[in-house]
Amino acid sequence: MTTKSIPLTDELHAYLVAHGSPPDEIIRDLAEETRSVLPEHATMQVAPEQAAFLTFLTRLLDVRQAVEVGTFTGLSSLAIARGLPEGGRLTCFDISAEFTGIAQRYWERAGVQDRIDLRIGPAGDRLRELPYERHLDFAFIDADKTGYPIYWAELVPRMRPGGVIAVDNVLRGGRVIAPRDANDRAIAAFNDDVLADVRVDPVMLPIADGLTLARVR
């Protein structure tokens, strides 16, 4: 099968970001602080084009009830919260008070802190605090890779018909083809499970490290 996909060089990536929705000062400062303070973890932050896409998608879907699993320093949650309408809510699940402490400062700076409910603790347990009914419009999963099946199992039954789940890092730098470690193997198995899940209509996109969008039936 022929393909029109092209590899992204650094220069082409910069062009893509600049001609999409370029990061504003708050996003640039958050990204820089994350790189400076947490250099060994900075790759956990979503790419700038992902942040723009999350805001766009949240607005496109008219999301009012959203969930994020894996908040880190808050770039993805900031992007989702910016896309919410008046009265919209984003519930964030993370295990690190240190990392999310940075996030909270930038939520406040961006004026979206009143839209976000942060819950610290194991997401597999805390997701069960959500009503067991089909009420969520959007969910974003970007946490520990071996936990993806658990988060998926908790979220799918809580999504409204037509709601969307976005899952990050589904390509693992290309290693899903030949997994090298437990995380690679977990994502490769998870991708197979999503494809076979009759409750959703999935599509996998080559955004950053791979992003799956699954529309819940």
Side-chain angles (χ1 to χ4, degrees), residues 15 17 20 24 27 30 40 45 48 54 68-69 79 82 98 120 128 131 150-151 156 164 168 172 176-177 194 217:
Y15 181 91
V17 172
D24 64 8
I27 290 178
L30 172 54
E40 69 278 18
Q45 191 169 62
L54 287 170
E68 176 182 73
V69 182
R82 280 179 160 176
E98 176 191 0
I120 300 295
R128 299 185 184 102
I150 298 171
Y151 310 141
V156 172
V164 172
D168 200 15
R172 293 290 296 168
V176 286
I177 297 174
V194 170
R217 297 176 177 175

Side-chain angles (χ1 to χ4, degrees), residues 8 10 13 44 47 52 61 76 94 104 108 119 128 141 151 213:
L8 282 179
D10 289 344
H13 178 260
M44 292 167 56
L61 296 172
S76 53
D94 201 281
Q104 288 174 296
E108 184 173 3
R119 303 187 187 186
R128 299 185 184 102
I141 301 174
Y151 310 141
L213 300 179

Side-chain angles (χ1 to χ4, degrees), residues 67 71 154 169:
V67 162
T71 296
E154 294 298 331
N169 302 119

Side-chain angles (χ1 to χ4, degrees), residues 29-100:
D29 288 352
L30 172 54
E32 178 55 37
E33 179 171 346
T34 301
R35 286 191 296 267
S36 176
V37 176
L38 301 166
E40 69 278 18
H41 299 293
T43 55
M44 292 167 56
Q45 191 169 62
V46 297
E49 66 271 24
Q50 280 180 292
F53 182 69
L54 287 170
T55 301
F56 177 87
L57 188 61
T58 303
R59 289 174 178 157
L60 181 68
L61 296 172
D62 192 24
V63 173
R64 296 179 180 275
Q65 293 291 331
V67 162
E68 176 182 73
V69 182
T71 296
F72 189 41
T73 57
L75 179 52
S76 53
S77 50
L78 172 60
I80 294 168
R82 280 179 160 176
L84 294 173
E86 185 72 25
R89 297 292 296 172
L90 168 62
T91 304
C92 293
F93 297 90
D94 201 281
I95 60 171
S96 174
E98 176 191 0
F99 294 163
T100 56

Side-chain angles (χ1 to χ4, degrees), residues 132-147:
Y132 196 79
E133 59 188 41
R134 304 189 70 177
H135 68 289
L136 297 175
D137 304 305
F138 180 69
F140 180 54
I141 301 174
D142 184 18
D144 58 298
K145 308 314 169 193
T146 57

